[in-house]
């Protein structure tokens, strides 16, 4: 930045878009510093290198080397960022387990994701706002599998592929994250 040098370093958060987000965070902290708030340079660097943001390109390693990429991707911009990440870092084209809320623009979320995945399993978060899995599958076509229960859908996907991407809703991520994290820790 015009004020200081913070690298080279490796951002803890995945995705090319996080470089721009990191710059915004740094510039805000620098503005706070210019107004007399004391923030150590090392604290800024440590924050960039250790930040965690649940369900934002969160990669979990499960037993047997299986991987689950958990990302909310609950709007067009989030889906585009996830698709960009998948194209660059997951050329193996993982299976997508997706659940979307009924008040979202389903097609705008699906459009960037479908070319980046090998198969799609539709599911639904446990909330009345969720679009039913079968209704979501109609947006994809006959190739979509429908498994309404999210953890069952993920289990099915993990039996078919070493990498599974779970996306489409913060509610879906919230419904499965604790169980997946616990299993990742134990494996």
């Amino acid at each position: 930045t015009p004020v200081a040098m913070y690298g080279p370093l490796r951002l803890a958060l995945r995705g090319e878009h996080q470089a721009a987000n990191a710059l915004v965070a740094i510039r805000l902290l620098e503005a706070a510093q210019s107004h007399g708030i004391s923030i150590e340079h090392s604290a800024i660097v440590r924050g960039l290198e250790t930040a965690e943001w649940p369900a934002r390109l969160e990669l979990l390693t499960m037993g047997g080397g299986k991987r689950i990429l958990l990302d909310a991707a609950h709007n067009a911009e989030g889906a585009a960022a996830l698709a960009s990440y998948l194209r660059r870092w997951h050329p193996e084209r993982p299976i997508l387990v997706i659940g979307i809320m009924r008040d979202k623009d389903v097609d705008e979320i699906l459009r960037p994701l479908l070319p980046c995945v090998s198969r799609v399993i539709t599911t639904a978060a446990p909330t009345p706002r969720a679009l039913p899995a079968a209704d979501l599958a109609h947006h994809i076509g006959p190739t979509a599998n429908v498994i309404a229960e999210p953890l069952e859908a993920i289990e099915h996907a993990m039996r078919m592929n070493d990498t599974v991407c779970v996306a489409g809703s913060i509610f879906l991520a919230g419904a499965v994250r604790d169980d997946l994290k616990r299993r990742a820790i134990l494996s």
Side-chain angles (χ1 to χ4, degrees), residues 53-163:
W53 197 359
R56 302 292 195 205
L57 295 175
E58 183 177 15
L59 189 61
L60 305 171
T61 302
M62 311 303 278
K66 303 277 185 175
R67 299 177 302 171
I68 296 178
L69 182 64
L70 185 60
D71 191 77
H74 62 102
N75 57 35
E77 295 79 17
L82 173 57
S84 175
Y85 181 82
L86 290 173
R87 279 192 301 276
R88 180 163 184 190
W89 297 103
H90 292 279
E92 76 277 13
R93 297 180 61 217
I95 292 177
L96 175 64
V97 175
I98 190 162
I100 300 174
M101 297 297 103
R102 65 176 74 237
D103 59 337
K104 297 291 182 169
D105 189 336
V106 174
D107 296 323
E108 288 298 311
I109 293 170
L110 291 173
R111 187 172 293 113
L113 294 175
L114 295 180
C116 303
V117 299
S118 59
R119 300 182 69 141
V120 179
I121 299 173
T122 61
T123 193
T127 174
R129 276 190 59 207
L131 181 65
D135 293 352
L136 178 54
H138 287 293
H139 287 266
I140 297 162
T143 60
N145 291 56
V146 177
I147 303 177
E149 203 291 310
L151 288 172
E152 184 181 329
I154 293 167
E155 285 297 326
H156 183 76
M158 286 184 4
R159 287 192 294 272
M160 296 188 311
N161 200 324
D162 288 341
T163 306

